[in-house]
Amino acid sequence: LLANAGRGLGEAFLDQKFDEARYVVDTNIIGTIYLIQKIGRDMRHQGEGRILITGSIAGYMPGAYQAVYNGTKAFLDSFSYALREELKESGVIVTCLMPGATETEFFRRADMMDTKVGTQKKDDPTDVAKDGFEAMMAGDGGIVSGFHNKMQVAASRIIPDEKLAEKHTEMAAPGTAKK
């Protein structure tokens, strides 16, 4: 099972319509765990299976201007390791793929094309998918795709959350794209 959902909104939380923020939660969390529970039960019953959950390095940092998205990815990052532990004796392997900014339609759909992160060069989706698939097939618990992303995660473990939120603002606040 490749559980990959990612929806975001490119505005400050209080400027978002609540139903749109709720849709992000419903897509990224509710839809993902619903699918995993439905298919994961069958896998556990059969005594084998592999689940790749797409979390994100965004789950490691407070995401100013992406607060709901980053929160949902923090949930998925944590959830994947908890589920992996619960299933460790079942024959079902759970892996979490944690990419950074990837060249997909995400930024356009999130209305982030006026942001630094929305306009900068991003990771190749083929490379990210390959990293995740290989980690899942190897039985790894998780993979941060890309060297730069690994460095960001390492830094997030020592830099105070307030500074991480400031850095995220530089990347994700509307109007931060170079003109």
Side-chain angles (χ1 to χ4, degrees):
L1 170 62
L2 307 176
N4 177 29
R7 180 104 174 116
L9 297 170
E11 295 178 300
F13 174 69
L14 295 179
D15 295 333
Q16 297 169 0
K17 294 179 182 171
F18 183 77
D19 63 328
E20 292 175 347
R22 171 79 186 262
Y23 186 68
V24 171
V25 173
D26 287 347
T27 300
N28 296 359
I29 295 177
I30 303 303
T32 301
I33 67 172
Y34 179 80
L35 181 64
I36 291 168
Q37 190 174 66
K38 296 293 263 184
I39 295 174
R41 284 180 173 164
D42 289 342
M43 289 178 174
R44 183 181 64 184
H45 179 74
Q46 293 173 15
E48 66 179 341
R50 295 177 190 272
I51 301 171
L52 179 66
I53 300 171
T54 303
S56 175
I57 66 166
Y60 285 91
M61 61 195 78
Y65 299 95
Q66 281 290 314
V68 176
Y69 175 80
N70 284 39
T72 65
K73 291 304 181 170
F75 173 89
L76 290 175
D77 292 351
S78 174
F79 173 80
S80 69
Y81 282 98
L83 184 60
R84 179 181 174 85
E85 176 64 20
E86 290 178 9
L87 294 174
K88 71 180 178 185
E89 303 295 327
S90 72
V92 179
I93 296 167
V94 178
T95 303
C96 187
L97 169 61
M98 294 163 281
T102 304
E103 193 61 57
T104 66
E105 291 295 311
F106 174 88
F107 297 95
R108 184 187 59 74
R109 290 180 184 147
D111 196 25
M112 294 181 69
M113 296 312 294
D114 66 339
T115 66
K116 186 174 181 181
V117 70
T119 56
Q120 74 182 14
K121 183 175 176 1
K122 298 170 207 42
D123 294 334
D124 183 307
T126 303
D127 294 339
V128 172
K130 183 178 177 194
D131 286 346
F133 184 79
E134 288 176 354
M136 179 184 68
M137 296 309 292
D140 296 340
I143 176 79
V144 174
S145 180
F147 179 76
H148 177 72
N149 298 324
K150 286 176 175 56
M151 298 305 293
Q152 283 187 295
V153 168
S156 76
R157 295 174 191 252
I158 56 173
I159 296 173
D161 285 344
E162 291 83 3
K163 292 295 181 189
L164 291 172
E166 286 176 19
K167 184 66 175 166
H168 204 277
T169 295
E170 293 173 18
M171 299 297 293
T176 56
K178 290 184 181 180
K179 305 213 180 207

